[in-house]
Amino acid sequence: MRGAINKEERFMKKLLKSVAALSLSAMMLLSPGVLAEEDEEESNVVELTTVVQEYEGKQIVLKTAGLDILEQDGYKFKDLNKNGELDPYEDWRLTPEERTEDLLSRMSDKNKAAQMAHMTLVTLKESWFSDLDIGFALTYTYFAESKESAGEKMNYVQSLCEESELGIPVVFSMDSVIGASWINDTTILPDAITLGATGDAELVQELADIQRQEMKALGVRMSLSPNADLATDPRWGRNQETYGEDADTAKAMVVAAITGLQNGTDGIGADSVMSCVKHFPGSGPQTGGVDGSPLVFDDETFALHLSIFEAALTVHPASIMPYGYSTVPYLGGDAVENYAHESSVVMNDVLRKRLGYDGIIQTDWGLNHIVAMQAGADVMGGMGQRDVTRMVDQVDPSLLTDRCRRLLLAKFRLGVFENPYTDADEIAQVVGSEEHYQKAMEAAEKAVTLVKYENQQPLEGQQILVVGALAKNVDALSSGWKISSETGLKTEGKSIYDAICKRAGADNVTYIGDDETLIADSYPAGTTAIVVVGEASGTHEPAWGTATLEFPAEQQSLLKKLDASGVNVVSVVLMNRAYVMTPVDAASDAVMIVYRPGVTAGAEAVAHALFGDCAISGKLPWQIPATMDQVMLQREDLPKDIENPLYDYGFGIEVAAFGQ
């Protein structure tokens, strides 16, 4: 018995789809183990056999889509290689190390090379897993529709892995800096820069634990997060992925995030999601703030940026990602010309030898896989079927064994050989739960930062103008690392406008958008204009960096006209990075920075802050420049070096309730 969905059954299923005269019931009879859907789309549902047993005080859960179950000494095991015998790597009583060495002895060079492949799964070819044994798969739009279908599809892929020669499960990963955000119906958390404004490492750990719970329930066991970079140049387009420009804050929060994801400080286990800390050795100081340019360091600043990763290693992250788009000239050698994830100096000299790291090195995407592997990388981002053959042909077999050993150890420690499958009931209870919603909202509320606060009064019962197109832009509440409105944005997500209407009553709200002609010359006393300004999510010109940090001209014009009309102007600022806020400050009575508060609960958190329903206590995670000249004079690699900023690092006006 090979699997619940074997090759013959899949052939039959496809044949049946071409015979229009067959009824739905007939299709189901002729294709056992596969549930046909009414729209004749292929189903991903697999039937699972579950075995639960106790061993030395631990509960061992075996799940399979069709493998034979072996019994020895009163215990049960999966026959992964289908030979009818209990082999050491199938024996969960042995250590991960013992199981790894046995499995390595049974693997061909092709098996080992395939384990190093980390493909981006936007579609599915069954042979990638049933025949090739691809080791890692990045979840993307293939899984996006709903949490239920995502779980079914992941189970289906794992059932294909069971059909392979050795039955090695795949590890699903996700670019998950804000939660399990590439799947619909999940809890999309505030961005890291938002959490940096809270100053609360304990809260970061709680949110990372939420991420762990939801990802694990969905079958995703590797998170390409947290980001251990420092936001030392405000132009860099990935500032939102960092915790700000303060090294001590970043250390505490990165450690907290790893601890939450991996469910402890001692490395990974059966309840962990692997963390992948990035981007080694610190990708914040891009030349000119433009992503992909050479990293700028001197002796002092290199030690500073590296210190975040040194702190991370104290809690044993499962993997670390060197940066894939920048060289590190400061280090010399092959780091001058090669991207960090293709550099032996970066990966071996600094990460392995200097820092003593013995875990998995995961590359970024878009690279020369052969060069990266020979330089020290273990898992190759974007590596696919053809690359496996090239790897076998061009790489020393001993290197393949060395790299594969780390990957198998991680899989055994995760417990995925025993149970790689999702559970529909767990998905329903855990993913997108009300408890997680409330914690996401708490975090977004705590991050709200007041930098100007004049002439305020309670908004309750007032006539309110909501101004700016961003007020209706749900996507702008989170960074770009998520599903978008094109792939099915989380349906519960509200815009700031929606949340204000809900809180104030729609009859008390007038939406103006970006049309200046809708702004009157004057308004009745007491009228408040809530103006949502800043940067739309994922907009970076040039890519991942910007030549200017000035607010768009149309936003500045709206603010000036509103100020002249005599309304009370409250500016709500959505932004990834430290913009030049002088014109916003000049035209506003109050300025409230909300960063990227999160699609799930961010809008409601903003409404709570505006209407005095929560205290405001956030502090700036970076300096706010007064002019672009100040930005151009600051160093890319040095934190807090803007002289006479408009608002300094750590500034924030605390109020018990806005307007009261």
Side-chain angles (χ1 to χ4, degrees), residues 402-419:
D402 177 69
R403 306 293 192 265
C404 189
R405 177 178 284 108
R406 294 192 185 93
L407 312 183
L408 296 178
L409 272 171
K411 289 186 176 185
F412 282 119
R413 288 166 178 163
L414 286 173
V416 291
F417 279 87
E418 281 62 64
N419 180 20

Side-chain angles (χ1 to χ4, degrees), residues 196-483:
T198 70
D200 190 339
E202 183 177 345
L203 179 61
V204 170
Q205 184 172 328
E206 290 175 351
L207 294 173
D209 185 66
I210 286 172
Q211 183 177 331
R212 177 191 67 84
Q213 292 176 47
E214 297 203 1
M215 292 180 73
K216 183 174 178 292
L218 290 162
V220 183
R221 301 301 298 274
M222 183 181 194
S223 172
L224 302 184
S225 71
N227 190 311
D229 302 322
L230 288 177
T232 49
D233 191 310
R235 294 168 294 183
W236 186 43
R238 304 188 73 165
N239 269 240
Q240 76 273 7
E241 298 176 44
T242 79
Y243 296 107
E245 65 178 320
D246 181 71
D248 289 336
T249 299
K251 290 175 189 176
M253 293 194 168
V254 167
V255 166
I258 297 167
T259 303
L261 282 169
Q262 297 192 168
N263 198 39
T265 60
D266 298 326
I268 56 174
D271 291 321
S272 299
V273 166
M274 299 168 62
S275 68
C276 180
V277 184
K278 56 190 190 182
H279 303 88
F280 192 82
S283 63
Q286 306 275 338
T287 302
V290 178
D291 197 73
S293 58
L295 298 177
V296 180
F297 296 113
D298 62 20
D299 289 348
E300 180 181 359
T301 58
F302 183 73
L304 178 71
H305 288 261
L306 197 65
S307 70
I308 319 302
F309 293 90
E310 291 177 303
L313 293 186
T314 64
V315 289
H316 308 288
S319 62
I320 289 179
M321 179 185 291
Y323 206 38
Y325 311 114
S326 294
T327 59
V328 194
Y330 165 80
L331 292 174
D334 68 354
V336 176
E337 298 293 335
N338 289 7
Y339 296 144
H341 67 177
E342 297 171 355
S343 165
S344 178
V345 170
V346 171
M347 291 186 284
N348 282 321
D349 293 355
V350 181
L351 184 53
R352 294 281 190 218
K353 296 176 183 178
R354 178 172 170 177
L355 300 189
Y357 180 64
D358 62 356
I360 293 168
I361 298 178
Q362 161 76 59
T363 75
D364 215 322
W365 266 245
L367 75 158
N368 185 318
H369 302 109
I370 303 297
V371 171
M373 194 272 189
Q374 292 176 327
D378 300 306
V379 183
M380 311 297 150
M383 179 173 161
Q385 185 173 7
R386 292 185 181 91
D387 300 304
V388 171
T389 301
R390 285 193 281 268
M391 191 74 71
V392 173
D393 292 341
Q394 298 180 44
V395 173
D396 187 313
S398 66
L399 288 182
L400 294 174
T401 300
D402 177 69
R403 306 293 192 265
C404 189
R405 177 178 284 108
R406 294 192 185 93
L407 312 183
L408 296 178
L409 272 171
K411 289 186 176 185
F412 282 119
R413 288 166 178 163
L414 286 173
V416 291
F417 279 87
E418 281 62 64
N419 180 20
Y421 292 102
T422 69
D423 179 86
D425 291 338
E426 184 181 5
I427 290 173
Q429 294 169 11
V430 171
V431 180
S433 70
E434 177 64 22
E435 179 184 355
H436 293 175
Y437 181 94
Q438 293 298 329
K439 183 58 68 172
M441 184 163 59
E442 175 191 336
E445 290 175 349
K446 193 169 185 178
V448 172
T449 306
L450 272 179
V451 293
K452 186 176 183 180
Y453 187 59
E454 298 177 358
N455 308 318
Q456 292 313 303
Q457 54 189 345
L459 299 184
E460 199 77 52
Q462 287 195 47
Q463 288 298 307
I464 296 170
L465 309 176
V466 176
V467 186
L470 285 181
K472 286 191 175 183
N473 187 331
V474 179
D475 282 339
L477 297 171
S478 294
S479 68
W481 299 107
K482 62 174 177 28
I483 54 174

Side-chain angles (χ1 to χ4, degrees), residues 73-146:
D73 304 326
Y75 298 105
K76 294 181 178 181
F77 309 85
K78 292 161 69 172
D79 188 13
L80 294 164
N81 63 2
K82 307 150 201 80
N83 68 354
E85 300 176 1
L86 179 62
D87 298 300
Y89 86 96
E90 299 166 333
D91 190 343
W92 43 260
R93 296 170 299 181
L94 301 179
T95 67
E97 290 79 9
E98 291 171 317
R99 299 176 75 183
T100 293
E101 293 307 316
D102 179 70
L103 181 51
L104 280 172
S105 71
R106 302 169 187 274
M107 297 173 72
S108 68
D109 289 346
K110 187 177 181 181
N111 291 147
K112 295 171 184 176
Q115 282 297 298
M116 295 162 52
H118 197 166
M119 62 171 48
T120 302
L121 201 58
V122 296
T123 186
L124 175 66
K125 186 176 180 180
E126 294 171 340
S127 63
W128 292 335
F129 301 97
S130 61
D131 300 333
L132 190 58
D133 248 344
I134 290 291
F136 291 78
L138 182 69
T139 57
Y140 203 56
T141 52
Y142 175 73
F143 298 98
E145 309 99 342
S146 70

Side-chain angles (χ1 to χ4, degrees), residues 126-207:
E126 294 171 340
S127 63
W128 292 335
F129 301 97
S130 61
D131 300 333
L132 190 58
D133 248 344
I134 290 291
F136 291 78
L138 182 69
T139 57
Y140 203 56
T141 52
Y142 175 73
F143 298 98
E145 309 99 342
S146 70
K147 60 185 183 182
E148 293 84 7
S149 65
E152 292 169 1
K153 286 181 175 180
M154 289 182 197
N155 281 357
Y156 180 62
V157 174
Q158 295 290 10
S159 76
L160 296 175
C161 294
E162 285 193 349
E163 295 181 15
S164 69
E165 179 185 1
L166 296 167
I168 304 173
V170 66
V171 168
F172 290 111
S173 69
M174 186 179 289
D175 246 324
S176 50
V177 293
I178 52 175
S181 52
W182 288 102
I183 296 173
N184 217 341
D185 309 316
T186 62
T187 306
I188 299 180
L189 303 168
D191 279 57
I193 196 64
T194 314
L195 303 180
T198 70
D200 190 339
E202 183 177 345
L203 179 61
V204 170
Q205 184 172 328
E206 290 175 351
L207 294 173

Side-chain angles (χ1 to χ4, degrees), residues 399-600:
L399 288 182
L400 294 174
T401 300
D402 177 69
R403 306 293 192 265
C404 189
R405 177 178 284 108
R406 294 192 185 93
L407 312 183
L408 296 178
L409 272 171
K411 289 186 176 185
F412 282 119
R413 288 166 178 163
L414 286 173
V416 291
F417 279 87
E418 281 62 64
N419 180 20
Y421 292 102
T422 69
D423 179 86
D425 291 338
E426 184 181 5
I427 290 173
Q429 294 169 11
V430 171
V431 180
S433 70
E434 177 64 22
E435 179 184 355
H436 293 175
Y437 181 94
Q438 293 298 329
K439 183 58 68 172
M441 184 163 59
E442 175 191 336
E445 290 175 349
K446 193 169 185 178
V448 172
T449 306
L450 272 179
V451 293
K452 186 176 183 180
Y453 187 59
E454 298 177 358
N455 308 318
Q456 292 313 303
Q457 54 189 345
L459 299 184
E460 199 77 52
Q462 287 195 47
Q463 288 298 307
I464 296 170
L465 309 176
V466 176
V467 186
L470 285 181
K472 286 191 175 183
N473 187 331
V474 179
D475 282 339
L477 297 171
S478 294
S479 68
W481 299 107
K482 62 174 177 28
I483 54 174
S484 68
S485 51
E486 293 152 0
T487 57
L489 190 66
K490 183 177 171 68
T491 53
E492 291 91 343
K494 297 183 181 68
S495 69
I496 291 175
Y497 169 75
D498 293 332
I500 291 172
C501 286
K502 179 183 176 182
R503 182 62 180 78
D507 292 343
N508 294 322
V509 180
T510 300
Y511 176 70
I512 292 177
D514 287 341
D515 189 349
E516 283 189 46
T517 65
L518 298 179
I519 299 175
D521 291 333
S522 63
Y523 288 95
T527 302
T528 293
I530 299 172
V531 191
V532 185
V533 295
E535 185 178 22
S537 177
T539 56
H540 310 291
E541 294 295 339
W544 295 113
T546 185
T548 181
L549 292 171
E550 301 281 357
F551 279 78
E554 60 269 23
Q555 293 183 3
Q556 295 190 43
S557 183
L558 283 170
L559 284 165
K560 288 178 181 178
K561 189 163 184 179
L562 285 165
D563 186 33
S565 74
V567 299
N568 179 45
V569 178
V570 178
S571 287
V572 175
V573 187
L574 292 165
M575 60 184 188
N576 293 348
R577 49 200 161 183
Y579 268 51
V580 176
M581 292 186 60
T582 302
V584 178
D585 181 271
S588 305
D589 296 283
V591 179
M592 179 183 290
I593 301 174
V594 299
Y595 311 97
R596 297 290 189 211
V599 164
T600 294

